[in-house]
Amino acid sequence: MAALRWLTPRRRPATARSVLAGEASAEAARKSAQSAQAAAPDTGTEAEFPVHGDDRAAAFFDLDNTVMQGAAIFHFGRGLYKRKFFETRDLARFAWQQAWFRLAGFEDPEHMQDARDSALSIVKGHRVSELKSIGEEIYDEYMAERIWPGTRALAQAHLDAGQKVWLVTAAPVEIAQVIAGRLGLTGALGTVAESIGGVYTGKLVGEPLHGPAKAEAVRALATAERLDLSRCAAYSDSHNDIPMLSLVGHPYAINPDSKLRKHARELEWRLRDYRTGRKAAKVGIPAAAGVGAVAGGTAAAIALHRRRR
């Protein structure tokens, strides 16, 4: 009994110390996890998504104002003008449309249609191979510096997870493919211009890849690639792309226009905005530079418009 009385008080402190050790360990683990989370780079994605190794998932990115500031077709127009594909009066129209696009922050169907018609008339009679080669040069001159780093990081997260990433845009497919290739993406869906014998005819094959047409293109690609759309993600800035965003299980509103922002909030879609001062600072884009670019673009458009008159 004496031995038992001697052992009993020794066991109680040991149990208390074990509890204390367990609590301390759990607290340390919790703090470590919180510190790691705080130190992790902000890629704009949640920890559990995208799912690594899910080969039935993919990501679809709109291009204009989602992946890149401004509209690809307008930057392409600048490059063609530099190469004397058309005259100053045509550049004035391109410049004005681009300035309007950047100020308004969303696509206007009439402006986009006018831009497409202009581009088709300009490339008519030129070889497809020639435009592809020029597209590479134009990307370096006007587009590379306009890629949103935040959106680029989102695309890279999908690539790192082993998923395919596609651009989906109303821009000419040749230009979209150049941009996708430069960003290391899987490929691109874009508007297809008719060509015969490798020469553009000035007509489209079907209709521009815009609005509902984008959704149909994504649906068709998903079927061909055996993808599960409920496990896929889509990213866009425009309410015109709500049909595409609604197809997937992980829709993201990126730099959204007012209609898309409202829709995304109502449906609790994820939202990222890289245009604000706070976000611009995080991705290395001075907010003042963005304002200056818009002001400069507007001034250039007005000057060109006056010159034309």
Side-chain angles (χ1 to χ4, degrees):
M1 292 296 291
L4 183 60
R5 285 194 298 269
W6 182 79
L7 287 172
T8 300
R10 298 281 294 180
R11 288 177 180 172
R12 289 173 182 169
T15 301
R17 285 197 299 270
S18 297
V19 171
L20 182 61
E23 291 176 346
S25 179
E27 179 66 11
R30 187 179 67 83
K31 289 182 177 180
S32 176
Q34 290 175 342
S35 297
Q37 183 178 8
D42 181 10
T43 62
T45 58
E46 286 70 21
E48 73 278 3
F49 184 79
V51 179
H52 285 254
D54 186 357
D55 59 3
R56 295 200 64 198
F60 303 94
F61 284 79
D62 169 56
L63 176 58
D64 297 344
N65 213 37
T66 301
V67 171
M68 182 178 68
Q69 299 175 59
I73 195 170
F74 301 139
H75 298 312
F76 185 56
R78 290 178 64 192
L80 292 182
Y81 171 75
K82 180 180 178 181
R83 290 159 179 81
K84 303 186 184 303
F85 271 66
F86 54 90
E87 299 178 357
T88 302
R89 64 174 179 272
D90 298 303
L91 179 63
R93 183 168 64 253
F94 271 102
W96 172 250
Q97 290 166 337
Q98 172 64 0
W100 187 94
F101 180 89
R102 296 185 69 170
L103 286 169
F106 63 91
E107 300 169 354
D108 177 86
E110 292 184 4
H111 284 184
M112 299 301 290
Q113 181 64 51
D114 186 32
R116 283 190 294 270
D117 292 344
S118 299
L120 286 169
S121 65
I122 289 166
V123 302
K124 182 179 179 180
H126 289 274
R127 300 197 64 81
V128 175
S129 57
E130 177 188 10
L131 268 294
K132 286 184 177 179
S133 177
I134 291 174
E136 295 279 356
E137 298 172 4
I138 291 174
Y139 178 84
D140 291 331
E141 292 170 4
Y142 300 113
M143 300 180 184
E145 64 182 8
R146 291 177 169 82
I147 301 299
W148 290 109
T151 312
R152 179 71 185 87
L154 292 173
Q156 189 61 48
H158 287 280
L159 293 171
D160 291 344
Q163 297 176 5
K164 293 182 178 180
V165 178
W166 303 84
L167 287 182
V168 188
T169 174
V173 67
E174 292 83 4
I175 303 305
Q177 289 170 347
V178 166
I179 297 171
R182 290 303 189 91
L183 296 178
L185 309 184
T186 306
L189 298 167
T191 297
V192 179
E194 182 185 71
S195 63
I196 298 178
V199 177
Y200 289 112
T201 66
K203 300 178 181 178
L204 290 182
V205 177
E207 62 180 9
L209 201 67
H210 185 266
K214 280 188 180 182
E216 291 305 317
V218 167
R219 196 192 308 274
L221 183 62
T223 299
E225 293 280 321
R226 302 176 65 85
L227 300 173
D228 181 348
L229 285 172
S230 69
R231 287 144 68 174
C232 292
Y235 302 78
S236 179
D237 72 296
S238 174
H239 69 279
N240 294 315
D241 289 336
I242 288 176
M244 178 180 75
L245 295 169
S246 300
L247 276 182
V248 301
H250 301 276
Y252 281 75
I254 305 295
N255 306 326
D257 61 36
S258 58
K259 290 183 179 179
L260 179 58
R261 183 182 295 273
K262 179 181 179 182
H263 188 84
R265 284 176 172 170
E266 289 175 350
L267 297 184
E268 297 184 348
W269 288 355
R270 296 176 178 89
L271 188 150
R272 300 284 185 272
D273 198 326
Y274 301 114
R275 299 167 301 184
T276 64
R278 181 175 62 85
K279 283 291 186 179
K282 290 177 69 175
V283 299
I285 303 174
V291 174
V294 171
T298 304
I302 293 172
L304 285 168
H305 182 65
R306 289 175 176 172
R307 179 177 175 182
R308 181 180 176 186
R309 294 176 64 187

